[in-house]
């Protein structure tokens, strides 16, 4: 029987075979299913899927050590504008490594960012094609932004500097316009962007009649991870949204699909605020112009009416003299009638008021005497209940913490009490 190998010996044999049979490095195309960093090293899970069924046909683990990863990650982000994330297609240069204790993995020595850029471009074009086929690509652009935009639903991270810049720009606008933004907090970078923004959109849609527009903002530059803004599901939600969507997600590279399907796209959060302010300023200027038009029209109308009244007024003196004579006679007649009726009314009611006064006077005096007697009885009763009167009779009051002791069970050993007599106070301690 052949002698058995230990696991370490077997793994060492595999390592030797790999080093001898596969000494070179290889370029390989693969999709990232998982990526994470730990202590400066990058750990990846690679996958290849069947193009028809999208089921996995191959999987492997890969590592990029810290001394290589620090350079590769910076170069990759600078070229692509994104960091590595799940679902990304990569072209990697790798070599095999088998460790006796940790097993097999591919070691990454290089990543070609231009391959990923091409794959990203293909995905973007496919999403754009799908949106146009569905007839929704320009749907949000067909909405009209209200003339007076005041209530703004803002989708952003509450901690983002861009959100603060947006609020400050609106608040400190030179025209004194008052805006009412409401934040719907969302993740604005990484893998959670799509789900988080869609969740915020659903919350806004539930009360869409409260808002005029939606603004999606975040700070950042060309090195920011914008992959979450280039997804079909998010683009469909934006394109079909019932309110105009304005984006200012702060980047310098080509616009994202989110920018393409939104109503209006600007580069930065402050530019989004400036867009709303400038739009309201243009409306204000239109209102001022309308005011001037109205004033000119009214002025012309008033001048025409002044001339017409001038012509009419020339006929008034004669007509007014006749009307005045007739109306003055009528007023004199009415004055006489009113004076006669008023005199008769006051005479009749004066006697009635005198009768009522004579009847009320005795009743009021009787009531006052009754109430005075009752007050005297209450005063005597109050004097009888005065605690000081009880003390004069030889009684005493025991106080603890300023309150009268009514039950000995209220006191405990060591409590200080005061006994109040008719003359003086005795202090004591309960034993």
């Amino acid at each position: 029987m052949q002698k058995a190998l230990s696991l370490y010996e077997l793994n060492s044999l595999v390592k030797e075979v790999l080093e001898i049979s596969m000494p070179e490095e290889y370029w390989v195309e693969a999709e990232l299913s998982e990526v994470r960093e730990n202590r400066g090293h990058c750990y990846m899970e690679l996958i290849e899927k069947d193009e028809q069924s999208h089921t996995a046909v191959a999987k492997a683990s890969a590592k990029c050590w810290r001394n290589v990863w620090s350079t590769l990650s910076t170069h990759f982000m600078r070229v692509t504008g994104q960091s590595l994330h799940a679902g990304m297609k990569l072209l990697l240069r790798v070599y095999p490594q088998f460790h006796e204790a940790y097993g097999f993995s591919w070691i990454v020595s290089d990543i070609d960012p231009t391959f990923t850029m091409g794959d990203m471009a293909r995905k973007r074009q496919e999403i754009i094609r799908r949106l146009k086929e569905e007839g929704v690509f320009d749907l949000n652009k067909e909405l009209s932004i209200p003339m007076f935009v005041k209530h703004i639903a803002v989708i952003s991270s509450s901690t983002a500097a861009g959100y603060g810049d947006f609020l400050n720009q609106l608040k400190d606008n030179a025209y004194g316009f008052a805006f009412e933004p409401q934040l719907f907090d969302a993740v604005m970078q990484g893998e959670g962007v799509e789900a988080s923004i869609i969740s915020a959109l659903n919350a806004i849609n539930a009360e869409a009649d409260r808002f005029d527009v939606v603004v999606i903002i975040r700070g950042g530059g060309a090195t920011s991870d914008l992959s979450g803004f280039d997804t079909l599901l998010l683009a469909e939600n934006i394109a079909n949204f019932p309110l105009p969507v304005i984006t200012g997600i702060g980047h310098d590279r080509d616009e994202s699909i989110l920018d393409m399907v939104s109503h209006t796209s600007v580069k930065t959060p402050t530019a989004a605020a400036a867009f709303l302010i400038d739009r309201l300023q243009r409306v204000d200027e239109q209102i001022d112009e309308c005011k001037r038009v109205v004033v000119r029209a009214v002025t012309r109308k008033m001048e025409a009416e002044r001339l017409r009244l001038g012509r009419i007024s020339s006929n008034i003196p004669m007509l007014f003299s006749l009307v005045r004579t007739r109306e003055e006679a009528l007023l004199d007649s009415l004055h006489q009638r009113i004076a006669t009726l008023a005199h008769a009314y006051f005479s009749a009611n004066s006697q009635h008021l005198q009768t009522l006064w004579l009847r009320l006077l005795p009743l009021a005096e009787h009531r006052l005497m009754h109430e005075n007697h009752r007050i005297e009885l209450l005063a005597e009763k109050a004097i009888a209940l005065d605690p000081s009167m009880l003390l004069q009779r030889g009684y005493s009051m025991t106080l603890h913490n300023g309150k009268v002791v009514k039950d000995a069970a209220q006191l405990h050993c060591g409590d200080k009490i005061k006994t109040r007599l008719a003359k003086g106070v005795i202090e004591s301690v309960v034993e």
Side-chain angles (χ1 to χ4, degrees):
M1 181 177 179
Q2 187 178 2
K3 179 182 177 182
L5 298 174
S6 68
L7 179 60
Y8 180 82
E9 291 172 334
L10 181 61
N11 285 351
S12 297
L13 181 60
V14 172
K15 179 179 180 181
E16 292 176 7
V17 171
L18 280 175
E19 290 175 349
I20 293 171
S21 60
M22 299 183 71
E24 300 177 357
E25 295 186 350
Y26 306 89
W27 285 99
V28 59
E29 298 178 13
E31 179 181 329
L32 272 177
S33 63
E34 183 181 341
V35 60
R36 67 187 186 280
E37 290 190 41
N38 187 17
R39 297 181 180 178
H41 309 298
C42 182
Y43 298 87
M44 311 174 199
E45 295 297 327
L46 306 178
I47 190 171
E48 181 180 348
K49 297 178 182 177
D50 182 83
E51 292 184 0
Q52 301 298 326
S53 63
H54 298 287
T55 57
V57 296
K59 294 182 179 180
S61 297
K63 302 182 180 76
C64 188
W65 303 125
R66 178 170 49 201
N67 59 331
V68 178
W69 175 243
S70 61
T71 302
L72 288 185
S73 61
T74 302
H75 177 63
F76 186 87
M77 184 173 288
R78 184 171 59 250
V79 175
T80 65
Q82 299 190 31
S83 58
L84 296 186
H85 59 82
M88 181 177 278
K89 291 286 187 66
L90 299 176
L91 180 62
L92 311 101
R93 188 169 66 189
V94 298
Y95 62 88
Q97 185 179 78
F98 190 88
H99 192 278
E100 293 85 346
Y102 303 111
F104 177 82
S105 62
W106 292 103
I107 305 302
V108 178
S109 62
D110 197 4
I111 302 175
D112 183 358
T114 59
F115 173 84
T116 303
M117 288 284 288
D119 183 68
M120 288 163 51
R122 286 191 296 274
K123 286 183 178 179
R124 283 163 55 87
Q125 290 303 316
E126 175 62 20
I127 292 173
I128 292 170
R129 184 188 64 80
R130 287 276 302 274
L131 293 170
K132 289 183 177 180
E133 285 181 354
E134 295 171 6
V136 301
F137 188 79
D138 294 317
L139 205 57
N140 197 258
K141 291 180 173 62
E142 295 174 3
L143 299 176
S144 298
I145 297 179
M147 181 175 291
F148 299 97
V149 175
K150 181 176 182 180
H151 302 280
I152 307 166
V154 183
I155 299 178
S156 179
S157 170
S158 59
T159 59
Y163 173 60
D165 294 339
F166 176 79
L167 293 182
N168 291 334
Q169 185 87 348
L170 288 183
K171 181 181 178 182
D172 299 332
N173 71 84
Y175 310 104
F177 298 142
F179 296 92
E180 294 184 10
Q182 179 177 334
L183 175 66
F184 290 81
D185 204 0
V187 175
M188 300 306 288
Q189 63 180 13
E191 297 180 17
V193 169
E194 179 188 76
S196 185
I197 293 180
I198 290 175
S199 176
L201 288 170
N202 290 336
I204 296 169
N205 192 37
E207 46 183 349
D209 56 345
R210 291 185 51 239
F211 299 104
D212 301 315
V213 293
V214 177
V215 175
I216 302 176
I217 54 173
R218 67 155 220 176
T223 59
S224 301
D225 181 7
L226 296 168
S227 60
F229 301 99
D230 283 338
T231 70
L232 177 62
L233 185 58
L234 179 56
E236 289 175 334
N237 273 268
I238 295 296
N240 288 285
F241 205 71
L243 294 174
V245 177
I246 301 168
T247 59
I249 56 179
H251 60 93
D252 299 322
R253 71 176 183 84
D254 293 341
E255 61 182 347
S256 67
I257 294 176
L258 178 66
D259 294 321
M260 294 178 186
V261 298
S262 64
H263 184 283
T264 302
S265 170
V266 295
K267 288 296 183 183
T268 63
T270 52
F275 170 80
L276 295 173
I277 295 168
D278 292 344
R279 182 180 178 83
L280 202 54
Q281 170 60 13
R282 290 195 297 273
V283 172
D284 189 52
E285 290 175 352
Q286 291 174 4
I287 292 173
D288 287 341
E289 178 59 27
C290 290
K291 289 179 181 177
R292 288 190 288 270
V293 170
V294 170
V295 168
R296 287 195 296 268
V298 170
T299 301
R300 289 194 298 268
K301 184 66 175 175
M302 290 181 67
E303 180 63 21
E305 291 301 314
R306 185 184 67 80
L307 295 174
R308 189 173 69 88
L309 287 173
R311 291 193 300 269
I312 295 173
S313 64
S314 62
N315 299 322
I316 289 178
M318 180 182 66
L319 296 173
F320 178 73
S321 177
L322 296 174
V323 172
R324 178 178 179 180
T325 302
R326 185 175 66 247
E327 294 300 320
E328 284 180 347
L330 178 61
L331 286 173
D332 288 340
S333 175
L334 290 174
H335 180 268
Q336 293 296 326
R337 291 177 60 189
I338 290 172
T340 303
L341 291 172
H343 179 72
Y345 180 81
F346 286 129
S347 297
N349 284 280
S350 175
Q351 183 62 37
H352 179 63
L353 289 173
Q354 184 66 27
T355 303
L356 290 177
W357 168 254
L358 294 175
R359 292 175 59 188
L360 286 174
L361 188 59
L363 293 174
E365 291 176 348
H366 177 74
R367 182 67 178 181
L368 287 172
M369 291 177 60
H370 174 74
E371 292 301 324
N372 284 334
H373 180 66
R374 192 167 71 87
I375 291 171
E376 291 173 358
L377 293 177
L378 289 174
E380 292 175 359
K381 186 176 180 180
I383 293 171
L385 295 176
D386 186 352
S388 63
M389 298 299 295
L390 295 175
L391 296 178
Q392 293 294 336
R393 297 175 188 172
Y395 293 97
S396 65
M397 285 192 299
T398 301
L399 305 174
H400 177 242
N401 292 333
K403 296 182 179 179
V404 176
V405 178
K406 298 180 180 180
D407 187 352
Q410 296 176 339
L411 302 176
H412 301 86
C413 184
D415 287 348
K416 293 181 179 180
I417 60 175
K418 293 181 180 181
T419 303
R420 184 177 175 185
L421 306 175
K423 295 182 179 180
V425 178
I426 301 172
E427 294 185 358
S428 55
V429 179
V430 178
E431 294 184 353

